[in-house]
Amino acid sequence: MTQPTHDEAHGGALGARLNWLRAAVLGANDGIVSTAGLVVGVAGATSDRAALLTAGLAGLLAGSMSMAAGEYVSVSTQRDSEMAALAVEKRELREQPEAELEELTDLLEERGLSRDVAREAAEQLTERDALRAHARVELGIDPDHLTNPWHAAWASFLAFTAGALLPLLAIVLPPSGWRVPVTVVSVVAALVLTGWCSARLGAAAAGRAVVRNVGGGVLAMGVTYGVGVLLGAAGVS
């Protein structure tokens, strides 16, 4: 008889996957809201398609590159901290092996193991790979999967770009009189989706997350459109 398989992800792998998905959803959400606010604001001042396309593309490129640069710097700092912590742990294991073994035993005991079992587990883990054991148990770091700043930068760039394309296309493709309504409806639908996804990934209630997400996006578009209308009426366009 065929044995059932078990492919469920556990521990750090599942957590890392959820973090990446959550970051992608939030990046797309930022692209939607910021670009929608920009193009709707410009649409309040002018109906010129070239001006709308120029503003939208400028916002898309500036936003996606800013997100990528920010993620690269942030994750690079995190990686540097991880590497420094591993270097310190490696030195301590070389200079104070007995103290480090005792420390690992204490940490395992704090996690619910009896003293004898914790000691035996610590000794076995140390014999197999002391640095990896301390990295995972003491530091919460997987030395085989350190954070990658380039992955984070590209993920942020692509997520923001994907989100920004929706309001950009919605504002330039329809006829003049339909541009703002089509953009608003498209953005609201997209924000409902990203709000629901972010809530589900965070195991939170979807209703309130969607309302907050849509409310923030509509407010941003309303404010920028109002400013655009005022500037257009004043002849600044």
Side-chain angles (χ1 to χ4, degrees), residues 8 42 55 67 91 105 119 162 206 220:
E8 181 183 357
V42 175
M67 288 282 290
R91 186 183 71 247
T105 301
R119 181 71 179 191

Side-chain angles (χ1 to χ4, degrees), residues 6 126 227:
H6 188 68
T126 299
V227 171

Side-chain angles (χ1 to χ4, degrees), residues 123-141:
E123 290 174 349
Q124 291 184 15
L125 289 171
T126 299
E127 289 176 5
R128 179 174 299 177
D129 193 324
L131 180 59
R132 180 172 283 103
H134 280 266
R136 290 177 173 173
V137 177
E138 180 181 347
L139 304 176
I141 297 174

Side-chain angles (χ1 to χ4, degrees), residues 5 12 26 34 70-71 76 78 89-90 92 94 107 116 122 130 145-146 151 158 182 204 214 228:
T5 58
L26 294 177
S34 61
E71 279 297 303
S76 292
Q78 179 182 345
E89 198 63 38
K90 187 175 183 179
E92 291 177 346
R94 183 175 63 251
L107 289 170
D116 291 340
H145 298 91
L146 296 179
H151 289 172
L158 294 174
V182 168
V214 172

Side-chain angles (χ1 to χ4, degrees), residues 105-186:
T105 301
D106 292 339
L107 289 170
L108 292 173
E109 187 178 11
E110 289 174 3
R111 295 192 175 192
L113 299 179
S114 68
R115 184 68 184 180
D116 291 340
V117 173
R119 181 71 179 191
E120 182 180 354
E123 290 174 349
Q124 291 184 15
L125 289 171
T126 299
E127 289 176 5
R128 179 174 299 177
D129 193 324
L131 180 59
R132 180 172 283 103
H134 280 266
R136 290 177 173 173
V137 177
E138 180 181 347
L139 304 176
I141 297 174
D142 186 347
D144 296 326
H145 298 91
L146 296 179
T147 53
N148 189 312
W150 284 109
H151 289 172
W154 277 110
S156 296
F157 180 89
L158 294 174
F160 187 97
T161 299
L165 280 174
L166 174 69
L168 175 58
L169 295 176
I171 203 71
V172 298
L173 293 182
S176 178
W178 286 91
R179 287 173 185 163
V180 172
V182 168
T183 301
V184 171
V185 171
S186 301

Side-chain angles (χ1 to χ4, degrees), residues 42 46-57 168 171-172 179:
V42 175
T46 179
S47 60
D48 183 66
R49 180 178 273 111
L52 293 170
L53 179 60
T54 300
L57 283 175
L168 175 58
I171 203 71
V172 298
R179 287 173 185 163

